[in-house]
């Protein structure tokens, strides 16, 4: 074991320390906290994340130098649960998979913390904000580093809690508080499935494999005898858990509402890290998922559906953050599409690039929002590019990356997913890869369209807000623009570590990850060399460019077109604009259904349970009446009889006891004489 | 053996019976506790005489009868002490030594 492994504990411990410090300050002083407290908080918070990042970097450097077989670093902190056949340790593991996530969480997280210092500068609850943010980082690191499913679940719930706290951060606004609750409740549905999946997995291991363990590293070697149908149910349950956390159909509805939270939170939690937990979970348990083609097929179908569906909603949203939220849902769909192919590196690759460019886009949006004094409606913006040039350029880079313009990170990751989707055969539906590929390609075009629409409406054309408001637009301070620039650089170059061999790259990421993931062999050489791959790349470039071009025509050249189209198909427009009425549908079915069930249960309680209880009471009353009669007459009578009997005879006997000494002496004498006479007679 | 003592124990026994009867009569008829105690003393001495008599005429070499007689004398002395002490206590409290006045224990 290498020296660096013993420092792994610092990675989650530093954010925890940050949380405790900030939490104590917030708890002790709260609203009365002074500028000094604020200063401490704003320094401590990013600093602890930086410490985590540096430790991770040190481990990473060591890991790169080590040979492929020796790249798993683990540190066992203590034995957590130890019962008859379950043994869970708090064991932190850094392997090639988790270190990518940890680097993203701490690296991107550090810059988002920095950005927050600027963004939340005027908020009076900034200390509470940083406490939550540090706690989130801690929970996310536990999720990623945990070596067993239980520990992962602790992190899984922890990030859910922090997500709830941060979405409802401005709880004074009722709608924001409700959005937090919605996120929490929807996540609960997924978490419930996760727990069931975990229990079933544990039972299955105990029953079929006979070696009860829940540690990932041990599980991997143990699996084998479990029947496929059982494993399919287990993995489907885990996937439902992932749909909750990672906002897939049918549990995606909380993510757009989660935009109620502060914008850096949207960037960190609802774009870069937490929502990708589902993807990470599947990669972590790749040895389960790879054995169940049925689950993978379901994942693919749901993922493609989510990607397309969310992208179409993104076209018509006017809130800058809502557009990005639906875009996140759509991109998460892409990641799951990659996971569904069974070549899990593609999903992780897109997870990474997405963390860069979506984090960048959200932070850019935050900068725009702050610059235009908390205006989020893009219809009231326009022409901002000269006022906030740094934000504009970085936002442009983010847009290019997500749209899949060649040379930027998004292009490589998205293209690899599409290529693997097309080329991976499906055992159940032979045509499925082609259908999924077409959906994915269409989604790429739509993504390009709505992102450029967002860009054009925000930064180009004439300013459409109130007069004079444009004058007050100002660029954000350096502490906010530096993270933008860093992430922009990462968005450009982040893709090169996973560049496919067809383009002269060597797909480092794939080789890096393949020792720790159980997965299908990525089909690199297929048929006629790389020709087909080039062709497909050409397709996606074409689609991306045409999406961008269409957006240019619609929103720069002829701004009247969207309105006329909108009015021509107003029905469809209304449908999409209202997000397909999914929220309303859920409200009408699940929520109304739950409330109805509640009334029904209430009736059941009143009519049946209460009636039963009353019936029992009446019976008991009658029985006790009879019992009471018996007690009074028989039991009491017997007792009283004995007492009266004793009293009567003692009144007779007491006359003998006169107290006269002489009489007693006569008794004695008489007794002697009687005894003598009796003995004589006998 | 020339002695003042008769060869026959009957006379001793008759005397013993007379003393015992006198003691018992006293105990049964008198109401003065002091008198009752005197009666008891008489009965004890009668029994002591009995012991001596039988011991003497049976020519026992163990002298157990003699020993018993002495034991009874000691016992009588002790008994008289305790009884008179109780009597004194009763008298201090009630200013009376009549059994009729001490019938608190009646049922």
């Amino acid at each position: 074991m290498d020296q660096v492994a013993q420092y792994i504990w610092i990675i989650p411990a530093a954010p925890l320390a940050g949380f405790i410090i900030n939490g104590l300050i917030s708890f002790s002083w709260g609203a009365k906290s002074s500028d000094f407290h604020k200063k401490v908080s704003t320094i401590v918070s990013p600093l602890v994340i930086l410490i985590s990042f540096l430790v991770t970097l040190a481990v990473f450097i060591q890991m790169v130098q080590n040979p492929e077989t020796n790249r798993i670093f683990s540190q066992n902190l203590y034995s957590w649960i130890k019962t008859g056949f379950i043994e869970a340790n708090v064991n932190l593991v850094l392997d090639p998979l988790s270190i990518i996530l940890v680097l993203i969480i701490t690296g991107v997280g550090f810059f988002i913390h920095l950005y927050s210092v600027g963004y939340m500068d005027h908020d009076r609850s900034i200390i509470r904000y940083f406490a939550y943010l540090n706690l989130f980082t801690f929970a996310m690191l536990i999720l990623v580093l945990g070596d067993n499913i239980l520990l992962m679940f602790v992190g899984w719930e922890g990030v859910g809690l922090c997500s709830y706290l941060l979405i409802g951060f401005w709880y004074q606004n009722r709608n924001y508080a409700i959005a937090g609750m919605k996120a929490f409740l929807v996540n609960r549905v997924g978490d419930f499935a996760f727990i069931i999946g975990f229990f079933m997995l544990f039972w299955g291991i105990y029953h079929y494999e006979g070696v009860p363990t829940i540690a990932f590293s041990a599980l991997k070697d143990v699996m084998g005898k479990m029947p496929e149908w059982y494993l399919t149910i287990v993995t489907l349950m885990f996937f439902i858990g992932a749909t909750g956390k990672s906002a897939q159909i049918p549990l995606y509805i909380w993510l757009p509402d989660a935009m109620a939270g502060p914008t850096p939170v949207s960037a960190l939690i609802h774009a870069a890290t937490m929502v990708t937990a589902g993807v990470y979970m599947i990669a972590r348990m790749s040895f389960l998922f790879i054995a169940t083609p049925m689950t993978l097929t379901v994942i693919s179908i749901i993922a493609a559906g989510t990607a397309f569906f969310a992208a179409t909603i993104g076209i018509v949203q006017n809130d800058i953050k809502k557009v990005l939220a639906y875009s996140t849902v759509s991109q998460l769909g892409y990641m799951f599409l990659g996971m569904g192919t069974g070549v899990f590196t593609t999903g992780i690759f897109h997870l990474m690039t997405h963390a860069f460019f979506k984090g960048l886009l959200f932070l850019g949006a935050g900068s725009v929002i702050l610059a235009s004094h908390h205006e989020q409606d893009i219809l009231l913006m326009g022409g901002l590019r000269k006022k906030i040039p740094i934000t504009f350029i970085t936002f442009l880079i983010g847009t290019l990356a997500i749209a899949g313009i060649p040379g930027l990170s998004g292009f490589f990751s998205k293209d690899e997913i599409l290529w693997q989707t097309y080329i991976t055969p499906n055992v159940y539906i032979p045509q499925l890869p082609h259908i999924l590929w077409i959906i994915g390609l269409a989604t790429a075009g739509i993504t390009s369209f709505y992102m450029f629409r967002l860009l054009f409406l925000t930064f180009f054309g004439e300013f459409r807000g109130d007069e004079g408001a444009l004058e007050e637009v100002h660029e954000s301070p350096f502490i906010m623009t530096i993270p933008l620039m860093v992430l922009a650089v990462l968005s450009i170059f982040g893709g090169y570590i996973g560049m496919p061999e067809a383009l002269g790259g060597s797909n480092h990421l794939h080789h890096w990850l393949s020792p720790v993931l159980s997965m299908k062999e990525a089909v690199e050489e297929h048929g006629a060399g790389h020709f087909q791959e080039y062709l497909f790349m050409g397709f996606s470039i074409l689609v991306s460019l045409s999406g961008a071009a269409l957006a240019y025509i619609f929103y720069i050249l002829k701004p009247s077109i969207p309105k006329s189209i909108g009015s021509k198909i107003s029905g469809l427009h209304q449908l999409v604009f209202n997000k397909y009425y999914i929220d309303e549908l859920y409200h009408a079915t699940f929520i109304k259904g739950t409330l109805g069930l509640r009334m029904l249960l209430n009736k059941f309680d009143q009519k049946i349970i209460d009636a039963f209880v009353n019936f029992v009471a009446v019976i008991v009353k009658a029985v006790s009446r009879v019992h009471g009669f018996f007690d009074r007459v028989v039991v009491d009578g017997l007792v009283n009889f004995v007492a009266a009997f004793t009293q009567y005879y003692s009144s007779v006997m007491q006359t003998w006891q006169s107290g006269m000494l002489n009489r007693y002496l006569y008794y004695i004498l008489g007794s002697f004489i009687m005894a003598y006479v009796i003995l004589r007679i006998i | 053996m020339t002695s003042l003592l008769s060869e026959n124990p009957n006379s001793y026994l008759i005397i013993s019976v007379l003393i015992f009867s006198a003691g018992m009569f006293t105990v049964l008829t008198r109401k003065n506790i002091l008198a009752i105690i005197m009666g008891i003393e008489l009965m004890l001495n009668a029994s002591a005489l009995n012991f001596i008599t039988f011991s003497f005429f049976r020519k026992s070499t163990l002298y157990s009868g003699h020993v018993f007689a002495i034991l009874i004398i000691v016992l009588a002395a002790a008994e008289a002490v305790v009884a008179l002490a109780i009597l004194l206590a009763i008298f201090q409290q009630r200013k009376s030594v009549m059994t009729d006045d001490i019938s608190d224990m009646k049922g």
Side-chain angles (χ1 to χ4, degrees):
Chain A
M1 189 53 63
D2 290 272
Q3 202 87 49
V4 285
Q6 57 185 300
Y7 299 111
I8 293 177
W9 65 273
I10 297 174
I11 297 172
L16 183 66
F19 161 68
I20 291 170
I21 293 169
N22 284 314
L24 284 178
I25 295 176
S26 176
F27 189 75
S28 310
W29 285 283
K32 291 196 289 286
S33 51
S34 63
D35 282 353
F36 173 70
H37 296 137
K38 195 176 128 185
K39 197 155 223 151
V40 169
S41 176
T42 51
I43 289 170
V44 164
S45 240
L47 190 69
V48 290
I49 310 293
L50 185 65
I51 292 169
S52 290
F53 179 63
L54 292 177
V55 173
T56 316
L57 211 59
V59 178
F60 180 66
I61 289 165
Q62 180 67 50
M63 196 182 281
V64 171
Q65 285 166 353
N66 279 8
E68 229 173 62
T69 48
N70 191 19
R71 280 184 181 160
I72 296 172
F73 298 83
S74 71
Q75 187 179 25
N76 196 358
L77 292 184
Y78 62 95
S79 184
W80 178 30
I81 295 170
K82 206 169 183 180
T83 67
F85 36 74
I86 196 172
E87 194 178 339
N89 294 330
V90 176
N91 193 7
L92 305 178
V93 170
L94 272 176
D95 62 2
L97 173 63
S98 59
I99 201 157
I100 291 181
L101 269 287
V102 176
L103 282 173
I104 292 170
I105 294 162
T106 53
V108 176
F110 169 65
F111 287 109
I112 291 174
H113 274 71
L114 266 191
Y115 179 94
S116 298
V117 173
Y119 191 84
M120 301 297 284
D121 190 35
H122 298 296
D123 199 288
R124 61 193 179 84
S125 305
I126 184 168
I127 302 172
R128 183 165 59 93
Y129 171 84
F130 275 118
Y132 290 165
L133 213 57
N134 278 342
L135 180 63
F136 167 78
T137 313
F138 166 71
M140 191 70 205
L141 287 169
I142 289 293
L143 194 167
V144 173
L145 290 171
D147 179 43
N148 58 57
I149 305 174
L150 265 182
L151 197 56
M152 181 191 233
F153 189 68
V154 170
W156 187 273
E157 290 297 301
V159 291
L161 169 71
C162 297
S163 167
Y164 159 76
L165 290 171
L166 285 165
I167 293 168
F169 181 72
W170 290 310
Y171 57 86
Q172 294 88 345
N173 184 326
R174 195 177 148 76
N175 287 336
Y176 291 1
I178 289 174
M181 278 187 254
K182 182 175 175 181
F184 199 71
L185 287 175
V186 174
N187 265 305
R188 206 108 314 273
V189 179
D191 294 348
F192 184 60
F194 187 100
I195 295 173
I196 291 177
F198 163 54
F199 288 164
M200 284 184 69
L201 176 65
F202 182 65
W203 185 86
I205 290 164
Y206 184 67
H207 187 76
Y208 293 112
E209 317 286 355
V211 188
T213 176
I214 52 171
F216 294 122
S217 44
L219 272 179
K220 198 172 174 178
D221 303 327
V222 161
M223 301 306 293
K225 297 195 208 76
M226 202 180 285
E228 194 179 318
W229 65 268
Y230 190 81
L231 202 53
T232 304
I233 298 173
V234 171
T235 47
L236 275 178
M237 282 298 161
F238 279 125
F239 176 61
I240 293 172
T243 60
K245 195 65 69 193
S246 297
Q248 296 296 292
I249 291 174
L251 299 177
Y252 72 93
I253 48 164
W254 65 272
L255 186 55
D257 285 11
M259 297 302 127
T263 310
V265 169
S266 308
L268 180 62
I269 301 184
H270 304 122
T273 55
M274 186 192 86
V275 288
T276 60
V279 180
Y280 171 76
M281 189 259 289
I282 291 178
R284 187 86 279 184
M285 300 197 215
S286 54
F287 52 90
L288 294 180
F289 282 86
I290 199 69
T292 55
M294 177 61 99
T295 307
L296 290 181
T297 309
V298 171
I299 293 177
S300 297
I301 293 169
I302 286 184
T306 310
F308 183 76
F309 190 73
T312 53
I313 300 175
I315 298 175
V316 289
Q317 294 299 312
N318 291 330
D319 184 321
I320 185 167
K321 285 181 73 180
K322 281 276 164 69
V323 176
L324 292 175
Y326 280 105
S327 160
T328 305
V329 176
S330 173
Q331 296 299 313
L332 285 165
Y334 264 117
M335 291 175 214
F336 278 103
L337 192 61
M339 301 317 264
T341 61
V343 186
F344 298 117
T345 48
T346 57
I348 297 293
F349 186 24
H350 198 58
L351 185 162
M352 190 188 76
T353 57
H354 177 256
F356 297 149
F357 61 67
K358 188 54 67 67
L360 168 63
L361 286 170
F362 264 117
L363 295 187
S367 181
V368 170
I369 291 166
L370 207 62
S372 49
H373 299 278
H374 297 282
E375 181 56 63
Q376 298 196 7
D377 193 339
I378 49 175
L379 295 181
L380 299 177
M381 295 175 187
L384 297 180
R385 71 178 183 278
K386 292 200 190 70
K387 285 285 182 184
I388 42 176
I390 301 173
T391 307
F392 165 65
I393 290 168
T394 52
F395 201 90
L396 177 68
I397 291 169
T399 306
L400 294 175
I402 192 176
I405 303 301
L408 287 91
S409 59
F411 168 74
F412 296 113
S413 56
K414 188 182 289 187
D415 208 57
E416 198 180 335
I417 287 173
L418 288 176
W419 170 241
Q420 292 296 349
T421 303
Y422 184 82
I423 211 154
T424 310
N426 188 294
V427 287
Y428 298 104
I429 313 166
Q431 296 83 16
L432 193 68
H434 300 197
I435 298 167
L436 292 179
W437 177 73
I438 289 169
I439 295 175
L441 200 64
T443 308
I446 297 170
T447 307
S448 172
F449 177 76
Y450 71 68
M451 282 314 299
F452 276 99
R453 166 180 178 266
L454 184 65
L455 186 78
F456 292 145
L457 282 177
T458 309
F459 294 100
F460 288 84
E462 294 294 311
F463 185 70
R464 293 177 296 275
D466 295 335
E467 268 182 55
L470 186 62
E471 299 304 313
E472 292 180 13
V473 171
H474 55 82
E475 180 62 284
S476 304
F478 275 124
I479 198 153
M480 289 169 67
T481 49
I482 287 170
L484 288 178
M485 290 185 257
V486 172
L487 286 173
V489 171
L490 287 171
S491 296
I492 296 171
F493 298 107
Y496 287 95
I497 65 161
M499 200 154 79
E501 283 166 15
L503 289 180
S506 52
N507 209 341
H508 288 296
L509 191 75
H510 186 82
H511 298 303
W512 173 254
L513 283 173
S514 44
V516 286
L517 293 178
S518 314
M519 57 183 182
K520 293 178 189 166
E521 275 303 306
V523 192
E524 287 283 355
E525 314 297 333
H526 185 77
H530 292 308
F531 172 71
Q532 210 178 1
E533 210 172 337
Y534 289 135
L535 188 72
F536 277 60
M537 270 177 208
F539 272 134
S540 41
I541 294 169
L542 199 67
V543 166
S544 295
L545 288 178
S546 48
L550 207 61
Y552 185 73
I553 294 168
F554 274 27
Y555 296 98
I556 301 283
L557 292 182
K558 297 249 172 63
S560 59
I561 294 179
K563 276 205 186 97
S564 63
I565 292 179
S567 58
K568 263 180 206 152
I569 49 164
S570 60
L572 185 66
H573 182 262
Q574 277 298 314
L575 180 69
V576 180
F577 185 72
N578 289 309
K579 309 151 204 162
Y580 299 100
Y581 297 101
I582 292 292
D583 275 335
E584 284 76 6
L585 181 71
Y586 283 180
H587 191 264
T589 52
F590 293 112
I591 295 174
K592 281 271 167 63
T594 310
L595 292 179
L597 189 67
R598 176 184 67 99
M599 298 302 289
L600 202 70
L601 288 176
N602 190 23
K603 279 261 162 58
F604 180 79
D605 257 14
Q606 278 178 352
K607 302 279 175 197
I608 296 178
I609 305 273
D610 281 10
F612 183 70
V613 169
N614 289 340
F615 174 72
V616 169
V618 167
I619 298 270
V620 168
K621 231 162 138 184
V623 168
S624 53
R625 227 166 257 254
V626 173
H627 202 132
F629 182 77
F630 181 80
D631 255 16
R632 268 198 310 280
V633 174
V634 181
V635 177
D636 284 8
L638 218 71
V639 172
N640 288 339
F641 171 75
V642 169
F645 183 83
T646 309
Q647 200 170 27
Y648 173 72
Y649 275 94
S650 59
S651 72
V652 172
M653 295 297 286
Q654 73 182 1
T655 53
W656 287 71
Q657 199 176 351
S658 61
M660 295 295 182
L661 197 58
N662 302 78
R663 241 182 252 183
Y664 293 164
L665 292 168
Y666 283 118
Y667 295 158
I668 295 169
L669 185 65
S671 308
F672 269 116
I673 292 166
M674 265 167 73
Y676 180 77
V677 170
I678 289 167
L679 284 172
R680 260 296 136 119
I681 290 165
I682 292 166
Chain B
M1 178 178 111
T2 53
S3 165
L4 287 171
L5 296 171
S6 168
E7 297 289 322
N8 195 334
N10 285 354
S11 52
Y12 300 102
L13 292 180
I14 287 164
I15 289 173
S16 174
V17 167
L18 285 175
I19 296 173
F20 188 84
S21 302
M24 194 158 73
F25 181 78
T26 313
V27 167
L28 289 175
T29 52
R30 301 302 293 268
K31 303 226 159 168
N32 191 328
I33 298 171
L34 202 57
I36 292 173
I37 292 168
M38 288 160 75
I40 291 168
E41 294 295 324
L42 283 176
M43 287 193 285
L44 282 168
N45 283 319
S47 60
L49 185 60
N50 237 2
F51 275 116
I52 290 286
T53 306
F54 281 114
S55 177
F56 180 78
F57 284 101
R58 288 187 71 226
K59 310 270 191 299
S60 164
T61 52
L62 284 173
Y63 298 103
S64 48
H66 295 74
V67 174
F68 252 103
I70 293 184
L71 196 71
I72 286 168
I73 290 165
V74 172
L75 190 104
E79 180 257 323
V81 169
V82 174
L84 287 172
I86 292 171
L87 183 69
L88 202 63
I90 289 172
F91 182 75
Q92 277 179 347
Q93 200 187 14
R94 312 212 170 198
K95 305 289 173 210
S96 164
V97 288
M98 294 305 179
T99 53
D100 288 358
D101 296 333
I102 318 168
S103 59
D104 296 359
M105 295 295 281
K106 77 168 178 231

